[in-house]
Amino acid sequence: MTRLWNDPADFADEMIAGFIAANERSVRGVPGGVVRSTVVPAGQVAVVIGGGSGHYPAFGGLVGQGLAHGAVMGNLFASPSTQQVHTVAKAADRGAGVFLSYGNYAGDVLNFDAAQEKLRAEGIACETVTVTDDIFSASPDEKHKRRGIAGDLTVFRTAAAAAEAGYDLAGVTRVATLANERTRSFGVAFSGCTLPGAPEPLFTVPAGRMAIGLGIHGEPGIEETDIPTADGLAELLVSRLLDEVPAGIEVAGARVVPILNGLGSLKYEEMFVVYRRIAQLLADAGLVLVDPHVGEYCTSFDMAGTSLTLFWLDDELEQLWDTPVDTPAYRRGSVVAAERADVAEMDAVADVAVEPGDDESVDVAAVVQAAVQRIVDTVDERVEEFGRIDAIAGDGDHGIGMQRGSHAALAAATAAAEAGAGAATTLTHAADAWADRAGGTSGALWGVILNAIATRLGDAGRPDAAAVAAGIDAGTRGVMEYGKAEVGDKTLVDALVPFSSTLTAAVDGGASFVDAWRSAADAATRAASATADLLPRMGRARAHGQNSVGTPDPGAHSLALIVTAVGDLFADLERNSHD
């Protein structure tokens, strides 16, 4: 279990601050993560990696000479926001383009892709390779759906070595793609992991049993079996990986890098006992072992477990693998220390600069602020419930993410309203702050929803019910386009679509705004409850869908509670206006 924290919602920020303070020789902080604190030659491709926190040394611990130029560091087990990715990439760029790499998870893909589009629009060349090494997360026919676990080290290191060697962006992308194709991983767990402040682990494994095929966010295993001996585990890991050798490789005489990765609380001594047998089995299969790794390279907080990665080399990949590396958590070979860069820390907090709205819109902005306050109150009251529901087949971060996002939205809305902003500007500031601070898929999607509504509110005059309904309809379409989810996928969309369609129909039918909103909230509540019967077809829960049957989708559930609470606010305001 996790024992030390202050406020769980602040844990990631405080952890990152401490990491930077302890490693100034290698990294400096920028909004959203870290970049190298040493001089990087102009014209070198910048390799930017990232993901949620809780996996140290991934991702910040891998920033330094010979490896990543920057790391985007999201909240615990939550993808970084688009703004975080964009800011770190901009800080790392040295004029030759930015190469992005991260584990293949829905929220990460959404936010990194959006940042990539933004970078390209600004004239910065950008390419991406997602890591898909976990053989148990999808079949060989659907390798593109696989998630990234400890094999991300091979892709990150290959890409960074190519950048150090002077490869251009296309060359870095080519060898990283090859490294990903030649990397396979498989893991097991003996216990779950516990987020700071959580009363229980995200999942449990019965005493004496072992979960097979876990994910690094605490996703449950695909299978469960009795715990074998150390040799028995080695045989399981090796046999499963040798069942899926990358295409075109002859096993006999092949050169591989074996990486036995600890997931957080498995002792090194135990891993050495397992690796002893792994080395024997790989040698017996005719493989030549190159630079074996035994240690912690991608963890899952305090999870007891391990994974084995095989990186199948060719001549080019092996030459790149020999590049010396010096980072806070990972060192290989001898690196000539570069000079410290003379760069001032970037300011993480920007002043609020707004165009004032007219008197009517300023009044509506006060309602926007009150609505965001009602959202915060609802999330704070239910934060543990949201996390518990999300932990059943996901990663348990929904409560913390919603709390961070809504609180950031309230602070931004309050600052904008106090500066005299109109309704649209106030809600836009809230939307952007929510997306940036929450990270993850839900953070991005709430940003889309609120921004779409904001465009219909305007900063002049008082919007009517039809304008609000049109904004929510636009937000719904934006969410479906951005997240690629449809009704029935067991996501937020299952509640959002009936909420939007019911609101529009009621407004078009002449109902008052309050009555229309309440009818729509009721429809969202019924739809969210019905998601309990669905199998998830999107996101991290997809591979463990059977575990979520009987439990509603956390995104749909939280949306239904929020729109109900906001509807109550509108009803209160209407009553007060008549008194």
Side-chain angles (χ1 to χ4, degrees):
M1 62 181 294
T2 307
R3 298 173 178 84
L4 298 175
W5 66 86
N6 295 310
D7 183 336
D10 295 333
F11 185 92
D13 293 334
E14 294 177 347
M15 177 275 295
I16 293 168
F19 165 72
I20 294 168
N23 293 286
E24 292 180 347
R25 64 181 290 274
S26 298
V27 302
R28 65 181 180 90
V30 295
V34 296
V35 296
R36 290 189 197 177
S37 61
T38 54
V39 173
V40 177
Q44 185 174 108
V45 173
V47 174
V48 175
I49 62 177
S53 296
H55 307 302
Y56 193 82
F59 295 90
L62 303 179
V63 174
Q65 289 179 251
L67 227 162
H69 296 78
V72 195
M73 302 170 72
N75 193 24
L76 297 176
F77 290 6
S79 68
S81 68
T82 298
Q83 184 58 36
Q84 286 179 297
V85 178
H86 177 262
T87 303
V88 173
K90 288 269 285 188
D93 178 41
R94 296 295 291 145
V98 176
F99 173 79
L100 302 174
S101 192
Y102 51 90
N104 185 37
Y105 298 90
D108 297 271
V109 172
L110 285 175
N111 286 299
F112 274 86
D113 278 359
Q116 177 172 265
E117 292 176 9
K118 189 174 182 180
L119 290 164
R120 288 173 173 171
E122 294 171 349
I124 297 175
C126 194
E127 296 294 339
T128 295
V129 171
T130 55
V131 182
T132 56
D133 60 303
D134 182 6
I135 67 170
F136 244 83
S137 55
S139 68
D141 294 336
E142 295 185 311
K143 286 188 295 184
H144 63 285
K145 293 184 178 180
R146 288 177 170 175
R147 61 198 175 206
I149 52 175
D152 57 10
L153 177 64
T154 70
V155 180
F156 299 166
R157 188 173 170 190
T158 298
E164 292 278 353
Y167 286 47
D168 62 12
L169 183 58
V172 170
T173 304
R174 176 184 61 80
V175 293
T177 301
L178 179 61
N180 184 58
E181 176 56 34
R182 284 173 165 257
T183 301
R184 300 287 190 275
S185 301
F186 168 49
V188 301
F190 313 108
S191 72
C193 55
T194 306
L195 296 178
E200 298 176 349
L202 293 178
F203 74 94
T204 59
V205 180
R209 301 282 284 176
M210 178 176 73
I212 298 175
L214 76 158
I216 61 170
H217 300 94
E219 300 97 333
I222 306 298
E223 298 178 6
E224 190 180 286
T225 186
D226 289 338
I227 296 177
T229 63
D231 284 1
L233 176 58
E235 291 159 9
L236 173 67
L237 295 172
V238 170
S239 65
R240 295 295 181 98
L241 289 178
L242 292 186
D243 281 342
E244 194 181 315
V245 177
I249 295 177
E250 291 291 335
V251 173
R255 299 172 68 82
V256 297
V257 177
I259 302 173
L260 186 63
N261 174 64
L263 282 156
S265 64
L266 195 67
K267 297 297 295 180
Y268 274 62
E269 290 86 347
E270 294 175 272
M271 288 192 287
F272 286 133
V273 174
V274 176
Y275 183 74
R276 158 195 148 275
R277 182 57 178 156
I278 288 173
Q280 293 170 352
L281 292 167
L282 293 176
D284 289 347
L287 297 173
V288 178
L289 307 189
V290 177
D291 191 23
H293 285 45
V294 178
E296 293 183 345
Y297 306 101
C298 186
T299 61
S300 184
F301 239 83
D302 61 331
M303 184 187 295
T306 186
S307 63
L308 177 63
T309 298
L310 294 182
F311 179 34
W312 300 79
L313 299 169
D314 66 8
D315 290 343
E316 182 181 27
L317 293 176
E318 185 166 357
Q319 182 176 2
L320 292 170
W321 190 257
D322 285 338
T323 301
V325 175
D326 184 14
T327 76
Y330 183 79
R331 296 178 178 86
R332 261 339 194 234
S334 178
V335 173
V336 177
E339 294 182 6
R340 289 285 299 275
D342 185 17
V343 181
E345 292 284 341
M346 296 178 66
D347 187 0
V349 181
D351 293 332
V352 175
V354 300
E355 290 292 328
D358 68 12
D359 290 345
E360 283 190 316
S361 191
V362 167
D363 289 342
V364 178
V367 176
V368 169
Q369 183 182 353
V372 179
Q373 178 67 66
R374 191 64 64 96
I375 293 173
V376 167
D377 295 341
T378 302
V379 171
D380 284 350
E381 181 182 352
R382 304 283 191 135
V383 62
E384 292 186 5
E385 176 188 348
F386 294 163
R388 176 182 55 78
I389 293 174
D390 191 37
I392 290 173
D395 49 26
D397 70 333
H398 188 66
I400 291 176
M402 291 290 288
Q403 191 171 55
R404 285 167 60 99
S406 60
H407 278 260
L410 178 59
T414 299
E418 290 178 350
T425 297
T426 298
L427 189 55
T428 297
H429 279 249
D432 292 345
W434 188 316
D436 184 35
R437 185 67 172 161
T441 305
S442 69
L445 298 184
W446 273 95
V448 169
I449 294 168
L450 298 181
N451 266 309
I453 298 171
T455 61
R456 301 309 197 278
L457 297 184
D459 284 322
R462 184 179 296 274
D464 59 15
V468 176
I472 293 172
D473 176 66
T476 301
R477 288 183 281 108
V479 163
M480 296 177 73
E481 179 179 354
Y482 190 65
K484 312 302 182 188
E486 300 177 354
V487 172
D489 285 343
K490 194 164 188 171
T491 70
L492 171 150
V493 166
D494 288 297
L496 181 59
V497 167
F499 175 75
S500 178
S501 61
T502 303
L503 179 66
T504 298
V507 168
D508 290 348
S512 71
F513 177 65
V514 170
D515 288 344
W517 189 283
R518 283 188 152 175
S519 295
D522 287 343
T525 300
R526 292 192 299 272
S529 178
T531 63
D533 298 327
L534 299 176
L535 284 169
R537 299 198 297 249
M538 297 288 290
R540 292 176 185 166
R542 174 184 54 82
H544 309 291
Q546 68 281 359
N547 296 309
S548 73
V549 174
T551 302
D553 175 71
H557 179 61
S558 59
L559 182 138
L561 289 170
I562 285 170
V563 296
T564 299
V566 172
D568 291 342
L569 169 68
F570 293 154
D572 291 343
L573 293 174
E574 183 180 59
R575 281 193 298 272
N576 291 337
S577 69
H578 293 156
D579 292 343

